[in-house]
Amino acid sequence: MELIKRLVTFILIITLLGSLSACGSKTYSKKNNEKKGSKEIYRTLDEIKEDGTVNIGVFSDKNPFGYVDENGDYQGYDVYFAERLAKDMGVKINYVSTEAANRIEYLKTGKVDIILANFTVTDERKEEVDFALPYMNVSLGVASRSDNIIKSLDSLGKDDTVIVISGTTAENYMINNYPDVKLQKFDSYATAKEAFENGTGVAWANDNTEVIAFSLQNKGYTAGIPNLGSNDTIAPAVTKGNETLLEWINKDIKKLREEKFFHKAYDKTLAGTYGNEYKKSIVAESREKE
């Protein structure tokens, strides 16, 4: 009986050690490839091509840039660009709906290969992700109701509330430049728009392309401040250190610029909202050094 107990104990110890050893190592598939010396998880260009599908993060509620239409299909300027990237890469697309606050997280954890979700290039974000060449110009803007147009943030009263979306440059700008202004924060564009339409806040601060589009698409609203803060750019982003994918995207963007692809993309997806008035200011050619 004692011998049987010892044998059982020995077997349990061996099993436990095997389990601990397994926990200490990790087998990575090509879809979840953690690079040595880095905490980021990403797939190289070759791995994406071998898999045959690229995972691209886009907005699902930001018309006309990234949204889901009545048929359940992704549409918009970012999506039009994404389709061309995938075609040039020779792969299919798996769209991943993202919100502003989780764009960086989705890249770091390997949930997406590329972010094409109106991602403004900032020095802070460059520390966490790698940006490709820009494809759009942007600054901030402020929309308000037409019966109470806000033309300057300095005119806000102490009880006035401004809507912002968490994780956006608008949120950071308001915190850094107008710390005394009350902010009502939302996680998604859809909830922010709904709250604004239902009477929350006296104004909505966001990318000027978004607030201008909102004002043009919704009667009773005006982009009283069409330009706020610095002039910035929007670019595709990949996981920090994913050099092969970044290099390929940059080469493709240069080719697309030569064929005026982004002008065509504007005509197909944005002209219906903005007309031709904003085409020159929105389409990025080569604001940054290449």
Side-chain angles (χ1 to χ4, degrees):
M1 188 68 179
E2 185 65 27
L3 179 60
I4 293 175
K5 287 183 179 179
R6 288 181 180 180
L7 286 173
V8 171
T9 302
F10 179 75
I11 292 171
L12 288 173
I13 291 173
I14 294 298
T15 303
L16 178 61
L17 288 174
S19 299
L20 290 173
S21 176
C23 291
S25 63
K26 189 171 183 180
T27 301
Y28 298 106
S29 69
K30 291 182 181 296
K31 291 184 179 181
N32 189 30
N33 193 1
E34 186 173 4
K35 304 304 173 183
K36 293 181 179 179
S38 173
K39 295 180 180 179
E40 281 76 17
I41 298 172
Y42 61 80
R43 300 189 301 168
T44 64
L45 176 65
D46 287 342
E47 289 169 341
I48 294 170
K49 287 184 175 181
E50 183 177 341
D51 180 67
T53 301
V54 60
N55 300 315
I56 300 182
V58 296
F59 287 127
S60 60
D61 58 359
K62 192 175 183 181
N63 187 343
F65 298 98
Y67 64 98
V68 176
D69 65 16
E70 62 275 8
N71 298 317
D73 297 323
Y74 282 92
Q75 303 288 352
Y77 185 71
D78 290 344
V79 174
Y80 192 87
F81 179 26
E83 293 286 340
R84 179 59 187 270
L85 281 179
K87 179 181 177 182
D88 290 350
M89 196 181 294
V91 297
K92 298 178 181 179
I93 298 180
N94 172 43
Y95 285 114
V96 179
S97 177
T98 183
E99 295 176 357
N102 58 26
R103 290 173 294 193
I104 292 176
E105 174 194 347
Y106 278 15
L107 284 172
K108 285 189 171 185
T109 58
K111 188 168 185 176
V112 299
D113 302 304
I114 305 169
I115 283 288
L116 284 179
N118 267 212
F119 211 7
T120 303
V121 179
T122 69
D123 291 336
E124 292 78 13
R125 288 170 176 169
K126 284 180 179 179
E127 295 178 1
E128 299 192 80
V129 302
D130 284 335
F131 284 102
L133 295 171
Y135 65 96
M136 198 165 101
N137 299 321
V138 70
S139 65
L140 298 178
V142 178
S144 50
R145 295 174 184 83
S146 298
D147 58 359
N148 182 28
I149 300 176
I150 305 299
K151 294 185 177 181
S152 171
L153 293 176
D154 294 324
S155 67
L156 294 174
K158 64 178 182 178
D159 295 324
D160 290 335
T161 300
V162 175
I163 289 177
V164 294
I165 297 169
S166 299
T168 61
T169 50
E171 179 192 20
N172 291 334
Y173 180 87
M174 293 300 297
I175 291 173
N176 293 329
N177 295 277
Y178 293 90
D180 296 329
V181 173
K182 293 182 180 180
L183 301 179
Q184 180 66 53
K185 302 179 183 181
F186 294 91
D187 291 330
S188 71
Y189 289 91
T191 54
K193 290 177 183 178
E194 182 179 4
F196 193 39
E197 290 171 338
N198 289 334
T200 300
V202 299
W204 176 22
N206 200 41
D207 288 355
N208 68 338
T209 51
E210 175 67 13
V211 298
I212 290 171
F214 176 81
S215 299
L216 292 172
Q217 293 171 340
N218 296 274
K219 186 177 180 180
Y221 297 90
T222 301
I225 307 176
N227 288 286
L228 180 69
S230 60
N231 291 320
D232 298 310
T233 57
I234 286 174
V238 302
T239 310
K240 196 75 174 174
N242 196 348
E243 296 177 0
T244 58
L245 182 57
L246 181 68
E247 182 179 355
W248 184 89
I249 294 174
N250 281 336
K251 287 182 179 179
D252 205 51
I253 288 176
K254 290 178 182 179
K255 180 186 72 174
L256 295 179
R257 284 178 178 173
E258 290 177 359
E259 65 180 65
K260 298 293 183 181
F261 167 82
F262 296 106
H263 291 266
K264 298 173 186 175
Y266 181 99
D267 293 338
K268 288 283 187 179
T269 63
L270 301 182
T273 298
Y274 298 102
N276 290 321
E277 179 182 355
Y278 294 97
K279 187 174 184 178
K280 186 176 181 181
S281 61
I282 289 179
V283 176
E285 291 295 346
S286 57
R287 179 175 289 183
E288 291 186 349
K289 292 182 179 179
E290 299 179 0

